[in-house]
Amino acid sequence: MDIFSKIAAGEIPSYKCAENEEFYAFLDINPLVKGHTLVIPRREVDYIFDMEDDEIARYQVFAKKVAKAIKTAFPCVKVAQVVLGLEVPHAHIHLIPMQSEADVDFKREKLSIPAEDMKAIADKIYAEFVK
Ligand code: 5GP
């Protein structure tokens, strides 16, 4: 099983932001900004564009709900959606609450946020998601 499948299955801990039976959202462990979230399908699939049309449609609708929760929890200009996937071979959408384009520069230094703060950030997003 790849690392993100293990995270979705609860075998590796993560800071949960949202979930349903098919998809899971959790905080990026090395965030660009506070609230940087990853959205994944629970099933193992590497490349997002290998997903079937109906599955990718449901995935995008789920990501939209997570983005709305992020924006309410952490007010921003917009939530950026980015797909890279060069590091982890399991499809994931990055959702990044953005004040400016600099917030989505993946070459810049990542934040190191203490565990209790990560938990509080994830809980705040989750509370908005389930409202
Ligand atoms: P990408 O594959 O899109 O280039 O980058 C993978 C992203 O996943 C990175 O932003 C990295 O910080 C994040 N990441 C990698 N391993 C883990 C992990 O074990 N837990 C969490 N929460 N995030 C991870």
Side-chain angles (χ1 to χ4, degrees), residues 1 5 13 23 28 42-44 49 51-52 57 61 64 66-67 75 79 82 84 96-97 101 106 123:
M1 241 203 274
S5 294
F23 306 108
D28 193 300
R42 291 185 185 277
R43 82 170 182 94
E44 272 189 335
F49 296 127
M51 293 169 85
E52 296 297 333
V61 170
K64 175 183 170 181
V66 180
V79 173
V82 179
L84 298 171
I96 303 161
E101 199 177 319
F106 278 79
D123 287 352

Side-chain angles (χ1 to χ4, degrees), residues 31-48:
L32 283 167
V33 296
K34 191 168 71 171
H36 180 172
T37 299
L38 301 176
V39 185
I40 62 171
R42 291 185 185 277
R43 82 170 182 94
E44 272 189 335
V45 51
D46 176 358
Y47 185 42
I48 188 170

